[in-house]
Amino acid sequence: MLKFITNIKVAFYPFKPSSTSVRIFLNQVSSGVNIQSNPQCKIDVITLSDKNATPTAHVQFKDGKKLDFKGHELSGDDMVRSVQKYVRKLSQEEDLKG
């Protein structure tokens, strides 16, 4: 999944219940298989001290597109599905170019 991603940044207050979705997203994208697919992908994790802060995840793709997620709006699985959908599009475009 990380093949077409240059940077992932997540920020959350670890004890806030709405941070769960961002932590699940981080866990899934930083799995060993994903890291092996693109070791140059930079993953930044910011632990916030403000318990009222909104948990966020930002994904930047090689083509410049950015996806921004707020943890209280989506589940971790929904975030992963959105990223995978765009990755599939980029993969198909690469396959067509040959």
Side-chain angles (χ1 to χ4, degrees):
M1 175 168 47
L2 299 182
K3 180 179 178 184
F4 297 99
I5 298 173
T6 59
N7 189 5
I8 296 174
K9 179 180 171 184
V10 296
F12 59 91
Y13 177 74
F15 305 109
K16 189 173 185 176
S18 63
S19 294
T20 303
S21 60
V22 173
R23 291 190 342 245
I24 288 171
F25 172 75
L26 175 63
N27 185 47
Q28 291 185 16
V29 298
S30 63
S31 71
V33 172
N34 282 331
I35 296 297
Q36 288 177 358
S37 71
N38 183 2
Q40 287 78 34
C41 179
K42 184 177 178 186
I43 299 177
D44 295 319
V45 180
I46 300 169
T47 304
L48 303 172
S49 58
D50 179 4
K51 64 182 177 182
N52 296 316
T54 300
T56 58
H58 307 281
V59 180
Q60 182 162 354
F61 295 89
K62 288 184 177 182
D63 69 347
K65 179 171 175 75
K66 295 179 184 178
L67 291 179
D68 297 317
F69 304 107
K70 293 184 180 175
H72 65 278
E73 294 176 350
L74 295 169
S75 72
D77 290 336
D78 288 339
M79 292 179 202
V80 169
R81 277 192 286 275
S82 294
V83 170
Q84 286 174 331
K85 181 178 178 181
Y86 194 72
V87 165
R88 275 193 303 275
K89 178 183 178 245
L90 292 176
S91 179
Q92 290 171 349
E93 288 174 1
E94 182 179 80
D95 290 344
L96 290 174
K97 290 179 183 177

